[in-house]
Amino acid sequence: MSVFSSVEDGGAGLSVASSAQGNEIIFELYTGQESSPRMVTLRSGVVPEKGKAYHVVGVWDKEKETARLYVNGELTSTFGTSGDFVLPENPVNQWFGIGCDAGTSSRGQDPFIGDVFLARVYSQPADDAQAAALWSDADKGVAGSVISINDVMLFPTCAVGPGFKYMVLGTGFQDGDAVKIVPVSDMDNPVEVEGDVYDGHISISIPDGITTGNYSFYIVRNGAEAPLGVARLELSDNPVPLSAPRVIAHRGYHTLSGVPENSIAALKASQELGVYGCETDVWITTDGVLVIHHDGVLSGMTLQDCTYEEIRNLKLSNGETLPLLSDMLEQTRTGGDTRLIIEIKEHSTDERNALVTDAILKMVEDMGMEDHVEYICFDRDVCRRIASAAPDAMVGYLTGDFEPADLAEEGIMCIDYPFSTLNINRYMVADAHGLGMKVNIWTVNSDEDMLASIALGVDYITTDYPDRLMEIYEMMEE
Ligand code: MG
């Protein structure tokens, strides 16, 4: 009942440490003298790989005053500890949790995402030979250890319908592999589907009868199975096929080593990577010069309150001089097909916002760059102003607080909304597309959010890691 429980309160747990703690398989135990009980953590040094199964044995041997942790039959660590095993006092911590630290929430603290095939609790401590015997007796076909799939990634939530091509990303799939999908709420009714195997993924056709819910995915090969993870499938009449949205490098491709954000170097790196867009931020000085920087302040100077003369010698971390919009446009013209996605920063007054907007539009027109730029802004008045002055320009509204139809009425034909907004208000993507609008999503940096964004069916993804997003696209290629 309370053997596995929150070890800060008492009990023990088998789990995977958080990424900050190294992601390794750990065994935690609350033991020691009654006057000074203590939490013991045994670290295996084994970092689990996605798609693989592990056999883990945690032992507390009171007589020998040691705790031991075994992974796949091998002793990985021991810890000397005397006294009694301490059960948790707080009733809310008294529940069974393997793969997490059973804290006060129903999910536990730091749960891992995966499947537990089998769990047993023994009343006697195992020695090395017994732990090895447990491993050799384990059903390795079910445990999946004979199947090696790496870099597994699932689309966390995906709208599907019968015949929809769903893919599980990963490497190591083999011709003849099938995918078994098991409803989490109805595990006795799995469905097995033949897969089409590609370098970076396996593709399946969603069968009839799938309903909305969470599903466990398994790879099936020659009668053996290995877990792939859990994802949510949502039944839709009109699911959007999985494809690769255009990539926009947020403040340029600045996560490349030695490249500061909002620099000519970050624009050049974006062009070399071959992304669709390079986003950049524009301020206007008191004397009407358009300069590039994200924050309003650089080296203690408030850009919109300075003359250009006062800030012209400021340097970026790579030694580059504070770039001008004209420099960025010139590099956009000469360096490739990457578009410049110009964010008009919100200035101190509406008048200043109008001034910077008009100055940018004029520069783009004077340089003949209308077909190489798009605009974005958090200020709806600015978006409206651009839409009215340059009806052919793509303008995206960033704040995320209006329905697509409200913006379309004003000629603002792109919702460029935060991930947190669109992931919750998924209908907005379909609404926008129904109105002929584009959808951009920002700022999407984790693998999981990238896959969620792809499954949302957006047109553009803005990210600090455009290289990683393109790697994921390569895995999706047929
Ligand atoms: Mg920006």
Side-chain angles (χ1 to χ4, degrees):
M1 183 265 302
S2 55
V3 177
F4 287 83
S5 47
S6 178
V7 287
E8 285 170 31
D9 190 30
L14 285 172
S15 60
V16 178
S18 66
S19 52
Q21 301 283 325
N23 276 340
E24 56 190 301
I25 294 171
I26 59 172
F27 173 42
E28 294 181 303
L29 184 70
Y30 205 89
T31 181
Q33 303 298 330
E34 201 174 333
S35 56
S36 58
R38 56 189 182 171
M39 193 178 103
V40 171
T41 301
L42 284 87
R43 301 184 164 278
S44 67
V46 176
V47 177
E49 292 175 40
K50 287 181 184 175
K52 290 189 178 175
Y54 295 83
H55 181 273
V56 184
V57 179
V59 175
W60 178 58
D61 190 332
K62 182 180 176 181
E63 224 166 76
K64 292 185 178 160
E65 299 188 339
T66 57
R68 294 187 292 275
L69 174 60
Y70 301 83
V71 177
N72 293 350
E74 285 190 16
L75 180 66
T76 59
S77 57
T78 58
F79 196 96
T81 176
S82 64
D84 290 326
F85 179 65
V86 182
L87 291 168
E89 285 179 15
N90 185 343
V92 297
N93 293 330
Q94 294 175 353
W95 54 279
F96 188 94
I98 293 176
C100 65
D101 181 359
T104 53
S105 79
S106 60
R107 295 173 62 231
Q109 299 169 11
D110 293 331
F112 82 109
I113 299 169
D115 297 296
V116 176
F117 285 95
L118 182 66
R120 290 195 183 105
V121 181
Y122 293 88
S123 57
Q124 296 298 316
D127 58 22
D128 289 357
Q130 286 166 322
L134 287 171
W135 162 240
S136 61
D137 289 348
D139 184 345
K140 300 189 183 68
V142 170
S145 55
V146 296
I147 302 176
S148 179
I149 309 289
N150 293 305
D151 307 317
V152 176
M153 288 180 283
L154 291 164
F155 294 92
T157 298
C158 191
V160 300
F164 181 89
K165 293 285 178 201
Y166 185 86
M167 52 179 96
V168 177
L169 306 191
T171 55
F173 295 113
Q174 294 178 6
D175 284 339
D177 282 353
V179 175
K180 188 168 89 171
I181 50 181
V182 184
V184 170
S185 61
D186 185 12
M187 295 181 70
D188 294 333
N189 281 305
V191 185
E192 197 171 306
V193 191
E194 277 177 33
D196 289 321
V197 173
Y198 300 91
D199 282 349
H201 73 271
I202 187 165
S203 171
I204 58 167
S205 179
I206 295 292
D208 288 335
I210 287 289
T211 55
T212 294
N214 294 328
Y215 289 82
S216 286
F217 286 69
Y218 300 83
I219 195 77
V220 181
R221 181 182 300 163
N222 300 327
E225 294 178 3
L228 297 169
V230 176
R232 181 172 178 79
L233 301 179
E234 292 189 341
L235 195 64
S236 164
D237 291 337
N238 194 20
V240 183
L242 292 169
S243 64
R246 288 167 162 168
V247 182
I248 296 175
H250 183 232
R251 308 179 194 174
Y253 180 20
H254 65 90
T255 45
L256 192 64
S257 173
V259 175
E261 63 181 44
N262 273 314
S263 61
I264 296 292
L267 172 55
K268 283 182 179 168
S270 307
Q271 292 169 325
E272 277 160 27
L273 193 61
V275 294
Y276 173 82
C278 169
E279 191 259 3
T280 194
D281 304 290
V282 181
W283 295 95
I284 194 165
T285 62
T286 54
D287 52 344
V289 178
L290 297 166
V291 296
I292 301 295
H293 198 60
H294 179 266
D295 295 343
V297 178
L298 176 60
S299 302
M301 309 289 277
T302 301
L303 301 173
Q304 64 172 310
D305 294 340
C306 293
T307 63
Y308 181 57
E309 190 58 34
E310 291 173 296
I311 56 173
R312 66 181 305 154
N313 291 323
L314 294 179
K315 295 275 193 279
L316 305 183
S317 61
N318 64 340
E320 215 177 276
T321 306
L322 182 68
L324 298 171
L325 178 61
S326 55
D327 300 332
M328 296 294 263
L329 287 168
E330 197 51 44
Q331 179 60 35
T332 301
R333 184 210 305 277
T334 55
D337 297 330
T338 299
R339 290 179 174 224
L340 195 63
I341 313 299
I342 299 172
E343 179 180 346
I344 299 94
K345 298 304 289 187
E346 287 184 286
H347 287 58
S348 53
T349 64
D350 290 346
E351 291 70 33
R352 300 277 290 158
N353 282 340
L355 191 74
V356 64
T357 304
D358 293 350
I360 291 169
L361 289 170
K362 181 167 191 313
M363 178 174 285
V364 168
E365 192 185 339
D366 288 349
M367 292 178 70
M369 291 294 286
E370 293 95 329
D371 294 340
H372 303 272
V373 303
E374 297 178 12
Y375 303 96
I376 55 175
C377 190
F378 282 96
D379 187 289
R380 193 174 165 199
D381 289 341
V382 167
C383 292
R384 205 185 281 133
R385 192 174 186 90
I386 297 168
S388 121
D392 293 336
M394 181 56 69
V395 187
Y397 175 63
L398 293 165
T399 306
D401 56 349
F402 280 97
E403 295 297 327
D406 297 332
L407 301 171
E409 256 176 39
E410 300 175 331
I412 301 166
M413 295 306 284
C414 175
I415 54 167
D416 190 345
Y417 282 3
F419 177 82
S420 54
T421 301
L422 288 177
N423 198 36
I424 293 167
N425 301 293
R426 307 170 74 83
Y427 71 91
M428 283 187 174
V429 178
D431 279 8
H433 286 158
L435 292 158
M437 300 173 76
K438 298 291 188 193
V439 181
N440 189 356
I441 190 166
W442 58 271
T443 298
V444 178
N445 285 342
S446 71
D447 286 359
E448 191 177 8
D449 290 355
M450 286 176 182
L451 267 76
S453 299
I454 294 165
L456 271 171
V458 299
D459 303 288
Y460 312 86
I461 295 176
T462 298
T463 175
D464 289 311
Y465 298 94
D467 53 333
R468 178 57 184 157
L469 185 53
M470 290 175 78
E471 281 173 12
I472 289 174
Y473 291 172
E474 270 174 38
M475 294 183 74
M476 291 169 61
E477 274 172 19
E478 299 195 341

